């Protein structure tokens, strides 16, 4: 897990006074089931109206899990698609909504590889204060099948707080 993804430079680091250090990160946020997930804006390649996804049928794999990986044609590239609804909640998204009402968030790894994530609605642009972000414990990540999540942010709101799980684009299958 890379904790430096969301940390500020230490006080001992020499930063010229005319350079402003960001106190928040920009993300796009979206819901998958009961979870609110986000990707850093720098990791977002594109958000598209849903394109056909191939190979995401609910086929049992050798370990008994459902197959949550598919492929989509985006321009002249093939994009691996990770159906988080199926992977995290073991539900086939296609039975819940029509393809016409879905979007595909395409994330890009540091190596330039692409991974698509189908979402129900257009993602929301959110600024998340760095002070609200902390690493997600490895024990929880593995127990909850959230290996692709690196950090969690708890954002105070009027009546309750919003828990936002931050995806690490470099952990997505690409």
């Amino acid at each position: 897990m890379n904790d430096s993804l969301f940390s500020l430079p230490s006080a001992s680091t020499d930063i010229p006074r005319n350079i402003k250090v960001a106190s928040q990160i920009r993300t796009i946020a979206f819901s998958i089931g009961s979870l609110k997930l986000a990707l850093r804006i720098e990791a977002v390649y594109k958000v598209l109206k849903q394109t056909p996804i191939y190979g995401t049928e609910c086929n049992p794999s050798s370990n008994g899990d459902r197959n949550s990986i598919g492929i989509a044609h985006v321009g002249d590239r093939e994009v691996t698609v990770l159906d988080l609804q199926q992977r995290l909640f073991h539900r086939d998204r296609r039975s819940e909504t029509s393809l016409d009402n879905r979007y595909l968030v395409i994330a890009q790894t540091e190596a330039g590889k692409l991974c698509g994530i189908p979402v129900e609605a257009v993602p929301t642009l959110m600024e998340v204060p760095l002070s609200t972000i902390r690493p997600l414990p490895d024990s929880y990540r593995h127990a909850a099948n959230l290996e692709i999540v690196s950090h969690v942010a708890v954002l105070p709101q009027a009546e309750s707080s919003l828990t936002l799980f931050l995806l690490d684009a470099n952990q997505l299958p690409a």
Side-chain angles (χ1 to χ4, degrees):
M1 182 163 55
N2 186 354
D3 293 336
S4 66
L5 289 175
F6 301 102
S7 62
L8 288 171
S10 67
S12 63
T13 305
D14 292 328
I15 300 174
R17 293 184 190 263
N18 63 346
I19 294 183
K20 191 175 186 179
V21 176
S23 61
Q24 53 192 9
I25 61 166
R26 294 183 82 184
T27 67
I28 62 162
F30 48 90
S31 295
I32 301 288
S34 60
L35 296 178
K36 190 76 164 179
L37 303 173
L39 266 171
R40 286 185 64 128
I41 200 73
E42 296 87 0
V44 178
Y45 177 76
K46 194 180 279 193
V47 177
L48 299 172
K49 189 77 168 158
Q50 181 73 13
T51 59
I53 298 171
Y54 303 97
T56 59
E57 291 79 63
C58 297
N59 298 326
S61 64
S62 59
N63 64 5
D65 248 348
R66 294 178 184 267
N67 182 2
S68 58
I69 301 290
I71 193 164
H73 310 293
V74 177
D76 62 347
R77 296 180 76 174
E78 306 308 315
V79 175
T80 301
V81 176
L82 176 61
D83 189 338
L84 290 176
Q85 180 78 23
Q86 192 176 61
R87 181 176 181 171
L88 298 174
F89 300 104
H90 305 293
R91 290 190 301 237
D92 186 358
R93 174 186 301 277
R94 288 171 297 163
S95 65
E96 297 174 14
T97 60
S98 81
L99 288 175
D100 296 336
N101 296 328
R102 293 174 43 203
Y103 295 85
L104 188 64
V105 174
I106 302 174
Q108 185 169 16
T109 67
E110 289 176 2
K113 295 182 180 179
L114 302 178
C115 179
I117 301 170
V119 297
E120 300 297 323
V122 176
T124 305
L125 184 63
M126 289 183 71
E127 303 231 352
V128 180
L130 287 173
S131 62
T132 65
I133 299 172
R134 50 190 178 258
L136 194 62
D138 285 336
S139 57
Y140 181 77
R141 291 173 61 220
H142 297 299
N145 199 19
L146 291 172
E147 292 86 8
I148 58 175
V149 175
S150 61
H151 291 75
V152 63
V154 180
L155 305 168
Q157 294 189 327
E159 295 182 17
S160 66
S161 58
L162 170 67
T163 301
L164 189 62
F165 293 93
L166 300 163
L167 298 174
D168 181 351
N170 292 315
Q171 296 299 318
L172 296 171

